[in-house]
Amino acid sequence: EALKRHPLKDQMLLRVIAFDSQMEEIHGFIPVGSINCDQYDGCFSPRGVTALFDACISAVEAIESVSASLASKKYLNNAIVVVVTDGLNNDGKFSRPGDVVEVKRAFTGAMQRESLESLATILIAVGYSQWKDELNKFHADSGFTNPLIGVEQATPDAIARIGNFITSSISSTSMVLGTGGPSQSLNF
């Protein structure tokens, strides 16, 4: 809902994927203004394992594809990847601990291409204290651009705070569009 009220909603696209052992695209990139939030109710039933690395890489690859298309039409664009997880990477194509370098390579590679002005990456961990050390290591090793956000439960208050943070991140990223400068990291 917060994104639908954002002043730049008509200029934003949103893609939603859900992941556990597999990734499921809830929808591809669609204009934020056309989103019906009810479509997310019950749209995914997690099955217990987490292909976290695969989800991060998929998100960046999809952004790169759309960004290249927009850039070819002379549109400047920034992107934000928000990854929400309640577990550690334990499944998927990139399931070994050392595969974190593939996530970092995807993040770094996206910024080295000229189709994106900036890329902000945000990791949100639900049930954070259970996996605190491992998630902090993943966050550092993979090169997320913003501080890790750890919440214990996905309560309405926590979700509202996360929504406000993402909206602020969008505003921060949008302010630098066309300047060639990086967006500023915000604190949750």
Side-chain angles (χ1 to χ4, degrees):
E1 288 293 326
L3 290 178
K4 290 182 74 165
R5 292 188 302 273
H6 195 280
L8 298 173
K9 69 180 179 288
D10 296 329
Q11 299 167 15
M12 289 190 287
L13 300 174
L14 177 70
R15 175 183 185 238
V16 175
I17 63 170
F19 63 95
D20 52 16
S21 62
Q22 302 167 14
M23 284 176 290
E24 181 179 327
E25 186 174 70
I26 306 303
H27 60 74
F29 288 97
I30 60 174
V32 167
S34 69
I35 292 173
N36 174 2
C37 293
D38 293 337
Q39 71 184 329
Y40 303 118
D41 291 340
C43 69
F44 183 71
S45 297
R47 294 171 283 262
V49 293
T50 306
L52 180 58
F53 295 0
D54 292 32
C56 293
I57 292 166
S58 172
V60 172
E61 288 174 346
I63 283 172
E64 283 187 280
S65 176
V66 168
S67 177
S69 175
L70 290 170
S72 74
K73 297 171 185 157
K74 307 295 183 208
Y75 288 103
L76 298 176
N77 58 95
N78 293 323
I80 299 175
V81 172
V82 179
V83 178
V84 181
T85 186
D86 65 352
L88 301 176
N89 188 68
N90 55 18
D91 202 26
K93 178 179 175 186
F94 300 104
S95 59
R96 296 181 326 231
D99 288 338
V100 71
V101 299
E102 299 299 330
V103 177
K104 186 169 189 154
R105 185 175 294 133
F107 288 170
T108 304
M111 281 312 304
Q112 291 174 342
R113 292 175 188 77
E114 294 185 11
S115 60
L116 276 174
E117 287 244 336
S118 71
L119 173 65
T121 52
I122 302 167
L123 177 62
I124 300 171
V126 179
Y128 174 62
S129 63
Q130 182 178 3
W131 310 111
K132 182 179 179 179
D133 293 340
E134 295 90 340
L135 287 169
N136 282 332
K137 181 171 177 25
F138 165 63
H139 180 268
D141 291 350
S142 58
F144 277 86
T145 60
N146 282 274
L148 186 146
I149 297 171
V151 296
E152 288 312 308
Q153 295 182 339
T155 63
D157 180 58
I159 291 169
R161 287 182 56 221
I162 290 167
N164 289 334
F165 177 80
I166 292 168
T167 301
S168 296
S169 295
I170 291 168
S171 295
S172 172
T173 301
S174 298
M175 285 192 298
V176 299
L177 186 61
T179 67
S183 58
Q184 300 298 309
S185 290
L186 301 175
N187 291 320
F188 183 68

